[in-house]
Amino acid sequence: MSILLAFTIIPLVAGLLAILITGGSPLLIGKWIEKGIGKTYSITLMMMFSLPYFMLISDTGLFDDIVKGIMRRVKVSAPIVCVLTVVVACICELDGSITSVFLITVPLMLPLFEKFHVDKRILPFLISVAILIMCNTPWNPKILRAATLMGNKQGAPAHLFIKLLPIQLFMLVLLIAMAVYFGLRARKGNKEEVTVSNEELLSQFKDTELTKHNMFWWNLLLTAFLITVLIAIPSIPQYFVFAFGLVVALAMNFHDLDQQGTLLKKYASTLFPVAPAVLLSGVVVGVMQESGMLNAMVKALMAIVPSAIGPYFYIIIALFSTPLMLLFTNDTWFYALMPLVAAFSAQYSVPIDVVIATLFMNFGSMISVIAQPQLYIATDLTGITIDEHIKFSFWKLWGINIVVVIFGVATGVFLP
């Protein structure tokens, strides 16, 4: 069953059953759906402009130029190759597309991994964790999903971004440290010195007809301006910030109106089915909340979970999110589990943004092809099997998962 069908039919059937059981009017279902969609429409609008904006900026070569600028200034070695993998993946994920991260980073870095005799299984692992880190940007589809759970709170994506920023920075430092360790271990195992010139490194980048090197500073300034406005002036609707950015970026970089139209059609095709799924997730949330189903589930959960554990239930779920994600898709994690845990935790005065932040990373998604089918792209390009990726990454991801939760609790980010 497709996610769009599930988000449309299942809550409708569940809502009608609830009405039959309670003896309410069938007309109530329309009001529930309307209230639910009201929680997600502004997030969907933002996604419709933010994702095409970053795809456009990526096509102009802004991110490639940043990576090349870094590569020109480093002496390549096994540890540097591993760290560069993290940097390149983080920069590529700025456009919000996991597929493009794997398609760009793996072919770019794999020859260097082979040349410096670094274990190839490390490559998709480092990229996967980098993707998790960079999902915390106010325009990323993952954080936009999470923001829909906060109802009509103004600037919800930016609020979550700021709350999760210490976690994001900690994870980045932790991942870079792991990358250095992997690189040093590989260098220690090399019997002869390996050298790669910066020219050889840079030769892997290829320009396209959309590349605009001469617009680098203008595109960088525009992007920095949009992010600043997004965070500093929450009263401006976030979808309008990126609508403004998209039309200005198109006009600056591509003067031909026909080309602009072609590009918009290209970027629009990438919005499906993610944007409609985010919009229709409001139907699930609306029916669950307004029909009383969510309250009934919370009462059932409270009868099972001891009251001494109740205030920390969301933290326990977070500690086990890596193995738990093997049972969930991203959508069921965000729209089935998280609303239930948030409503349950609210009974113990835990704010919803704390619960969302704590459960946001769902580390196990990067070893589950049910949650992240793009992993097949990563493993195929790397030349390893999905089983090898899971075996290599599972315990490391769970270890990072536990360390991050402990850090979040110690710093107060994951506490009320």
Side-chain angles (χ1 to χ4, degrees), residues 386-403:
I386 194 68
D387 291 345
E388 288 177 299
H389 170 67
I390 294 171
K391 287 176 184 176
F392 180 83
S393 302
F394 179 81
W395 292 106
K396 296 177 183 65
L397 272 173
W398 198 358
I400 296 172
N401 176 176
I402 293 170
V403 170

Side-chain angles (χ1 to χ4, degrees), residues 140-293:
N140 190 279
K142 188 171 180 178
I143 208 164
L144 293 178
R145 279 191 181 100
T148 61
L149 302 178
M150 295 183 66
N152 293 320
K153 180 178 174 62
Q154 194 172 42
H159 172 80
L160 287 175
F161 164 70
I162 293 169
K163 185 168 186 63
L164 281 164
L165 190 57
I167 304 299
Q168 185 179 32
L169 295 174
F170 173 73
M171 283 183 64
L172 183 59
V173 171
L174 182 61
L175 184 59
I176 289 174
M178 292 182 72
V180 171
Y181 167 75
F182 287 137
L184 289 173
R185 191 175 65 178
R187 186 167 69 181
K188 188 177 180 181
N190 287 338
K191 295 178 180 178
E192 56 184 40
E193 187 177 352
V194 183
T195 59
V196 175
S197 67
N198 292 75
E199 290 72 21
E200 185 180 348
L201 203 59
L202 294 171
S203 66
Q204 298 180 77
F205 291 90
K206 305 296 181 184
D207 289 350
T208 70
E209 61 179 6
L210 301 178
T211 303
K212 301 284 183 179
H213 295 301
N214 61 317
M215 296 299 294
F216 173 82
W217 288 109
W218 288 109
N219 288 326
L220 184 63
L221 287 171
L222 176 61
T223 303
F225 170 74
L226 295 179
I227 294 172
T228 302
V229 171
L230 199 69
I231 296 170
I233 315 178
S235 59
I236 299 177
Q238 295 184 337
Y239 56 82
F240 180 77
V241 173
F242 280 110
F244 171 83
L246 179 60
V247 296
V248 170
L250 276 170
M252 282 196 323
N253 290 280
F254 305 101
H255 304 303
D256 183 86
L257 292 180
D258 289 336
Q259 188 177 22
Q260 289 183 18
T262 301
L263 289 171
L264 285 175
K265 289 177 184 177
K266 170 189 169 185
Y267 302 139
S269 65
T270 64
L271 293 172
F272 292 87
V274 179
V278 170
L279 181 67
L280 290 173
S281 69
V283 179
V284 180
V285 175
V287 170
M288 283 181 66
Q289 291 182 347
E290 301 301 323
S291 67
M293 279 189 280

Side-chain angles (χ1 to χ4, degrees), residues 7 77-78 89 91 98 124 129 132 151 174 192 221 255 278 286 303 310 366 374 399 414:
F7 280 2
S77 63
I91 292 172
I98 292 174
V129 182
L132 286 173
L174 182 61
E192 56 184 40
L221 287 171
H255 304 303
V278 170
M366 299 315 293
Q374 298 95 326
F414 293 166

Side-chain angles (χ1 to χ4, degrees), residues 305-380:
V305 178
S307 58
I309 295 175
Y312 313 105
F313 182 66
Y314 70 102
I315 295 174
I316 295 170
I317 296 293
L319 285 168
F320 288 91
S321 67
T322 299
L324 280 174
M325 267 307 296
L326 297 173
L327 306 174
F328 289 85
T329 66
N330 279 318
D331 289 309
T332 54
W333 180 270
F334 278 96
Y335 299 128
L337 179 70
M338 284 176 66
L340 177 59
V341 175
F344 175 83
S345 300
Q347 304 301 311
Y348 296 93
S349 302
V350 180
I352 189 168
D353 62 335
V354 172
V355 177
I356 292 171
T358 307
L359 299 179
F360 175 74
M361 289 296 178
N362 62 342
F363 292 85
S365 63
M366 299 315 293
I367 53 169
S368 169
V369 292
I370 299 173
Q372 220 67 73
Q374 298 95 326
L375 288 170
Y376 281 120
I377 297 173
T379 55
D380 287 348

